[in-house]
């Protein structure tokens, strides 16, 4: 397990490892509230120690945290975490184009929209982010999600050249490699969605 640059053999490492293990276990059991609390503990340890951690590892911790909020239907909180991820990691080329990031942003904006017109506006942020998720992650990124999100974006985004539909264009996401650095529960989540067809190098 990566310790995000924390000093080896420190109490912080042990606490951090346990928090991540607890979060992964809770997510496997669909206990999103417990996962959220454990990820919050892990993030607090990381920030308090101020390690020279790898940005992509910290980024995926934040996305896991945001995902736990989303699965708890805490859409405001999820969007806040995603906004923080954008602010903190923008210069590391981890955010823009990341299929999972755009998926959760689009879904949160959809759920928080005050009108149907705001949800379906082809020039609005809901459709823009869901379209980015589709183009960057392919149709697979929408698997096991409420079908309303995919239906909305399929009405707007044409299939890639050479395919009659997105359903035939499996494996055509433009930025699948961005998911390769995910870890723990999210990594296994993506492997299930894609059937391990994306790099997922070790």
């Amino acid at each position: 397990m990566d310790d995000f640059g924390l000093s080896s053999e420190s109490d912080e490492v042990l606490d951090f490892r346990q928090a991540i293990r607890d979060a992964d276990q809770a997510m496997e059991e669909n206990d999103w509230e417990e996962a959220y609390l454990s990820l919050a503990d892990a993030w607090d340890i990381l920030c308090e120690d101020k390690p020279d951690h790898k940005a992509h590892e910290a980024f995926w911790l934040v996305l896991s945290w945001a995902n736990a909020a989303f699965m708890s239907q805490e859409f405001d909180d999820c969007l806040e975490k995603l906004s923080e991820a954008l602010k903190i990691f923008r210069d590391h080329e981890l955010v823009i184009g990341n299929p999972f990031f755009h998926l959760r942003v689009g879904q949160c904006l959809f759920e928080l929209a005050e009108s149907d017109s705001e949800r379906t506006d082809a020039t609005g942020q809901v459709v823009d982010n869901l379209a980015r998720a589709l183009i960057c992650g392919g149709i697979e990124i929408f698997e096991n999600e409420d079908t309303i999100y995919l239906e909305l974006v399929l009405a707007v985004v044409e299939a890639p050249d050479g395919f009659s539909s997105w359903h035939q264009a499996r494996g055509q996401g433009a930025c699948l490699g961005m998911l390769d650095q995910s870890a723990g529960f999210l990594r296994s989540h993506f492997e299930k969605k894609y059937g391990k067809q994306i790099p997922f190098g070790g």
Side-chain angles (χ1 to χ4, degrees), residues 7-163:
S7 302
S8 62
E9 302 305 323
S10 68
D11 290 340
E12 287 84 359
V13 165
L14 298 177
D15 290 344
F16 180 81
R17 287 178 176 173
Q18 189 60 54
I20 294 297
R21 279 195 296 266
D22 290 346
D24 282 340
Q25 181 65 35
M27 288 186 282
E28 290 291 347
E29 297 172 355
N30 294 322
D31 187 347
W32 301 105
E33 182 177 351
E34 185 62 33
Y36 182 94
L37 294 173
S38 295
L39 289 164
D41 288 344
W43 182 252
D44 287 345
I45 294 167
L46 194 63
C47 291
E48 183 177 346
D49 197 73
K50 294 181 174 59
D52 183 22
H53 56 270
K54 296 178 181 177
H56 73 268
E57 294 162 344
F59 169 72
W60 281 107
L61 193 160
V62 176
L63 256 62
S64 292
W65 198 9
N67 183 59
F70 178 84
M71 297 301 293
S72 300
Q73 299 189 347
E74 298 291 344
F75 303 119
D76 279 310
D77 193 19
C78 179
L79 195 58
E80 181 180 340
K81 298 283 185 295
L82 294 168
S83 297
E84 283 297 306
L86 178 60
K87 182 166 64 176
I88 296 170
F89 302 105
R90 179 193 298 270
D91 295 335
H92 295 278
E93 299 182 353
L94 296 167
V95 187
I96 303 302
N98 185 296
F100 189 63
F101 171 83
H102 289 297
L103 176 68
R104 288 295 186 244
V105 170
Q107 289 170 317
C108 286
L109 292 173
F110 179 94
E111 298 297 340
L112 294 169
E114 296 181 355
S115 67
D116 286 340
S117 61
E118 188 178 344
R119 293 184 182 97
T120 59
D121 179 3
T123 64
Q125 288 299 303
V126 173
V127 174
D128 179 73
N129 276 282
L130 292 177
R132 287 172 185 252
L134 179 62
I135 293 167
C136 295
I139 198 167
E140 296 94 328
I141 198 69
F142 286 87
E143 289 189 357
N144 300 318
E145 307 288 340
D146 191 319
T147 57
I148 194 170
Y149 306 118
L150 180 60
E151 290 169 359
L152 174 62
V153 75
L154 285 180
V156 177
V157 182
E158 294 184 359
D161 289 344
F163 297 92

Side-chain angles (χ1 to χ4, degrees), residues 154-172:
L154 285 180
V156 177
V157 182
E158 294 184 359
D161 289 344
F163 297 92
S164 60
S165 73
W166 273 100
H167 291 285
Q168 293 183 347
R170 300 184 68 80
Q172 296 301 306

